[in-house]
Amino acid sequence: MTGAILHNLKSVDVRFPLARLSVVTGVSGSGKSTLARDILHDNLAALVGERYKRNRNTFEPAGCKTLKGWEMIDRVLEVDQTPIGKTPRSCPATYVGFWDAIRKLFAGTQEARMRGFESGRFSFNTAGGRCDACEGQGMKKIEMSFLPDVKVACDVCNGARFNPETLSVHYKGKSIGEVLKMSVDEAVDFFSAHPAIHHALRLLQDVGLGYLTLGQQSPTLSGGEAQRIKLVTELSKVRTTEDLPRRGAGAGGRKTLYVLDEPTVGLHMADVEKLIRVLHRLVDAGNTVVVIEHNLDVMADSDWLIDLGPEGGDGGGRVVAMGPPESIARQPATSHTAKVLADFLRERGRPEPAIPPPELRRFRGAEVSLK
């Protein structure tokens, strides 16, 4: 990318290596969101979208002069903290996509076949098997005259979401309503014999969401939980380290570029480590991840850092340093980030190489470049 001049950016040139984890750092107001979201994400989304698919030669990038290397990307996604669903019927099991497989398991039991129940009977989104009183939500809303509305458990199904006939069908001794109330940690063992379901559940565990129930209503999830569920959904679609070599696997194909804005906000240190592992698993599958972040753990475990600044507002908008974390740490005179990162890396026992690692030197020919 060359000549990025949107908002306070001062005609900066930036490189984002493909199939790598890149972190955009800098003080507040230095231009991180402008660079990663308003310019990189929005322009790439337009380029790979339907609007310019037939005639990309007419595309003029907004906020920068040129955008090169985007041809290796066929999908762009911002993984934000917006809710995964607006209705109580939406839950982790439906969003990640393994609920259909669970419904088929119940439909395949002897009890279900004897009653003529198909998988649609075990859906709380359609009439027939769900509780008619709460329409499969498990909750009822009570309107208060002078106070906010109150939601209480349905007095007919007691929050089970299904009618008695549907709940009478059991799989391994559990009804469909009891399965919805299982935590992810419990369900991992319960569905261990079913690879598709088990894989998705293990991914939820990997991002630190083992405490959630399968039927947890989407409006009750925090922004961080919603964001990690979205990451799990993406990770469930790709082949990961079990069947691909590390670093750059699949990088020759057309892959996805993910943009995340400070995903560690509100996370415990242990959950930050899990999040970093998930981001690297996306990279291992050949995808590109760009993260706006202040967290030192994420910076230290990244492949490429872009430090903006040196200050915020009019005093920012410049690329202070760019390169691997160890290389950035060797520039404390010009970068606020480098000062704290150098101390952090020394505490972790990380060396300071004179030149970038060989794998990054080899990969610099494939990158998204903003000029």
Side-chain angles (χ1 to χ4, degrees):
M1 179 189 298
T2 60
I5 56 173
L6 188 63
H7 299 155
N8 68 330
L9 293 179
K10 296 175 174 61
S11 192
V12 297
D13 299 348
V14 186
R15 291 174 294 166
F16 295 88
L18 295 174
R20 292 293 182 269
L21 171 59
S22 298
V23 177
V24 183
T25 67
V27 300
S28 297
S30 59
K32 301 185 297 297
S33 293
T34 298
L35 178 67
R37 299 175 64 186
D38 299 341
I39 300 181
L40 179 68
H41 173 273
D42 291 356
N43 279 310
L44 286 177
L47 275 168
V48 303
E50 295 296 329
R51 181 178 177 186
Y52 291 98
K53 232 170 199 181
R54 293 186 178 180
N55 194 4
R56 291 191 174 109
N57 293 329
T58 63
F59 180 78
E60 294 184 4
C64 66
K65 291 182 180 178
T66 61
L67 183 65
K68 300 178 180 178
W70 57 267
E71 295 85 357
M72 295 290 289
I73 299 170
D74 66 343
R75 181 167 173 258
V76 181
L77 179 66
E78 181 177 4
V79 186
D80 55 23
Q81 297 192 1
T82 56
I84 61 173
K86 297 181 180 180
T87 69
R89 282 194 292 269
S90 176
C91 61
T94 57
Y95 190 87
V96 176
F98 58 87
W99 183 245
D100 287 345
I102 292 177
R103 291 194 295 116
K104 290 178 182 178
L105 284 180
F106 274 88
T109 62
Q110 185 175 358
E111 290 178 90
R113 293 199 303 269
M114 289 175 60
R115 297 166 183 259
F117 292 169
E118 297 182 353
S119 61
R121 176 84 189 194
F122 301 95
S123 170
F124 40 73
N125 288 315
T126 57
R130 70 183 184 184
C131 173
D132 292 329
C134 63
E135 296 183 331
Q137 298 187 35
M139 306 287 290
K140 282 186 176 181
K141 184 170 67 175
I142 300 176
E143 297 182 358
M144 309 293 285
S145 298
F146 303 103
L147 295 171
D149 295 341
V150 176
K151 290 186 177 180
V152 298
C154 175
D155 56 352
V156 176
C157 66
N158 293 318
R161 298 192 179 195
F162 295 94
N163 58 35
E165 291 78 14
T166 305
L167 294 173
S168 66
V169 176
H170 292 79
Y171 173 76
K172 293 175 65 174
K174 299 285 186 181
S175 70
I176 193 79
E178 291 172 320
V179 168
L180 278 174
K181 292 181 180 180
M182 279 185 178
S183 69
V184 170
D185 289 334
E186 294 171 328
V188 165
D189 294 331
F190 189 78
F191 293 106
S192 59
H194 301 278
I197 303 173
H198 185 259
H199 176 62
L201 291 169
R202 284 297 302 272
L203 290 176
L204 287 169
Q205 273 190 327
D206 290 346
V207 297
L209 297 178
Y211 59 88
L212 291 181
T213 61
L214 303 191
Q216 176 123 5
Q217 297 174 344
S218 295
T220 67
L221 297 170
S222 70
E225 289 169 338
Q227 186 175 46
R228 282 181 282 167
I229 289 174
K230 293 176 184 178
L231 286 173
V232 167
T233 305
E234 290 299 311
L235 198 56
S236 66
K237 300 175 184 177
V238 301
R239 299 169 62 201
T240 52
T241 52
E242 286 78 6
D243 50 8
L244 286 171
R246 182 165 176 77
R247 291 290 178 222
R254 292 166 64 82
K255 297 294 183 178
T256 301
L257 185 142
Y258 299 97
V259 177
L260 297 89
D261 192 349
E262 299 198 44
T264 64
V265 171
L267 293 187
H268 187 273
M269 291 177 60
D271 290 330
V272 171
E273 293 179 7
K274 293 177 181 178
L275 175 66
I276 293 171
R277 287 198 294 268
V278 169
L279 296 179
H280 276 298
R281 289 176 71 172
L282 286 171
V283 171
D284 290 342
N287 300 297
T288 304
V289 180
V290 177
V291 182
I292 303 167
E293 192 54 81
H294 290 105
N295 186 280
L296 286 169
D297 286 293
V298 179
M299 294 182 199
D301 284 315
S302 68
D303 299 310
W304 190 259
L305 281 181
I306 300 166
D307 188 35
L308 298 180
E311 307 297 338
D314 292 337
R318 298 180 177 88
V319 176
V320 179
M322 182 167 57
E326 293 84 358
S327 176
I328 300 295
R330 296 172 61 247
Q331 306 176 48
T334 58
S335 168
H336 295 304
T337 299
K339 296 176 184 177
V340 293
L341 184 59
D343 294 336
F344 186 79
L345 291 177
R346 277 194 293 269
E347 291 175 2
R348 294 180 58 167
R350 291 270 290 273
E352 297 180 3
I355 56 176
E359 63 269 19
L360 278 175
R361 295 204 306 274
R362 287 197 304 268
F363 208 78
R364 281 181 178 173
E367 60 192 16
V368 174
S369 177
L370 298 170
K371 296 183 179 179

